[in-house]
Amino acid sequence: MARNDGLRQAMATAGLTAAELAERCEVDAKTVERWVSRGRVPHPRSRVRAAAVLGKDVGVLWPEIIRRAAKVGTDRELVGMYPRRADLPRAVFREAIERANSRMWFGGYTSYFLWLEIPDAATTLAAKANAGADLRFLLGDPDSPVTAERDRLEATPLTLATRIAMTRAEISKVDATVPVRLSDRHIAMSVWVFDDEAIVATHIGSGLGQDSVTLHLRRAQDGGVFDRYVEHFESLWADSRPADPQN
């Protein structure tokens, strides 16, 4: 097998040796050496851990995973699938935002985690919006009975209404016009769209947003899975209400 130069470069950039990456991934150092020198593909759990440690998308470190999946059917737009949003490497959101030029649609019920995980998000979003990107935030309706019921299920001190308010406070720091609308129809599923990439998270049971099954999609066809989720966001946006009725 060919050497994995992408992984080797990512390790060098992160300043990690094979032994150090192995320790972080809870595998043997020789295993990591085989990942690099022989192009061995790790087990899914190890791939996710390594990508998170290195701050790279799994598909960037091991692109053959995508090729092996033989994306010739209905799943060809699927870049990655994660049991929990917490398993999604942080770099996926950051790099999707960095690549986006035409649209950045945030359809999370709170999208609160973005402000914790994306360094200086307000500055980045302002630059994108002022350069012409269509920047929108579709947030949950804090006054809806649906929101109250979800809070009852989650039973956490940091309520949805509080997280929504905190996100709105962060949006106010963006030096650009940012349309914000409220809806309770996406309480169980969040959709974030960045040009031709999308991240979709579906809630399960009483789990928090970070526990949601998460898909990373990239558009590859007309009327495919990606387009269906874009249509879903557009429908929610059309039926939602402005967060500030005066705008």
Side-chain angles (χ1 to χ4, degrees):
M1 296 183 181
R3 184 178 64 178
N4 189 331
D5 288 325
L7 175 59
R8 180 181 58 80
Q9 181 59 50
M11 290 169 58
T13 300
L16 294 177
T17 65
E20 290 168 337
L21 180 59
E23 182 179 0
R24 301 279 291 275
C25 295
E26 299 182 1
V27 299
D28 188 87
K30 291 184 178 180
T31 297
V32 174
E33 291 172 359
R34 287 192 289 269
W35 295 351
V36 177
S37 63
R38 301 184 186 179
R40 294 283 180 86
V41 177
H43 292 297
R45 182 181 180 87
S46 295
R47 291 199 297 264
V48 170
R49 284 188 174 183
V53 170
L54 297 171
K56 296 290 184 181
D57 193 343
V58 170
V60 171
L61 297 176
W62 292 282
E64 61 268 36
I65 296 171
I66 299 173
R67 292 194 293 269
R68 287 181 187 178
K71 303 298 186 186
V72 295
T74 56
D75 68 335
R76 63 174 172 265
E77 296 185 320
L78 181 62
V79 177
M81 180 164 55
Y82 305 86
R84 297 171 181 81
R85 198 194 69 217
D87 296 327
L88 181 76
R90 291 185 178 184
V92 173
F93 264 103
R94 186 182 70 247
E95 292 174 358
I97 290 172
E98 290 173 352
R99 285 191 292 266
N101 293 306
S102 61
R103 63 181 168 190
M104 302 171 66
W105 297 351
F106 293 86
Y109 210 74
T110 72
S111 288
Y112 170 67
F113 72 96
L114 291 168
W115 314 104
L116 303 177
E117 298 183 4
I118 307 297
D120 200 14
T123 299
T124 300
L125 296 180
K128 294 286 184 177
N130 290 323
D134 179 5
L135 176 60
R136 310 181 194 178
F137 274 84
L138 178 67
L139 299 175
D141 185 343
D143 300 321
S144 168
V146 174
T147 302
E149 175 60 17
R150 185 69 198 183
D151 271 329
R152 186 188 68 79
L153 289 174
E154 293 186 356
T156 60
L158 192 61
T159 66
L160 289 168
T162 299
R163 281 175 271 163
I164 291 167
M166 294 174 76
T167 288
R168 293 192 62 186
E170 292 296 332
I171 292 172
S172 70
K173 299 175 186 177
V174 178
D175 189 17
T177 300
V178 184
V180 179
R181 298 180 73 91
L182 305 176
S183 172
D184 62 14
R185 289 178 53 199
H186 61 309
I187 187 70
M189 183 170 67
S190 298
V191 178
W192 298 274
V193 181
F194 308 101
D195 287 0
D196 285 346
E197 288 186 79
I199 298 168
V200 179
T202 304
H203 283 203
I204 290 181
S206 60
L208 299 176
Q210 64 186 11
D211 300 317
S212 302
V213 173
T214 301
L215 307 178
H216 179 197
L217 305 170
R218 184 171 292 120
R219 191 178 191 277
Q221 61 180 325
D222 291 338
V225 174
F226 176 90
D227 283 356
R228 293 298 308 280
Y229 280 119
V230 167
E231 291 169 3
H232 173 69
F233 182 99
E234 290 176 326
S235 173
L236 293 175
W237 185 264
D239 291 341
S240 60
R241 65 181 179 86
D244 184 351
Q246 295 180 351
N247 294 331

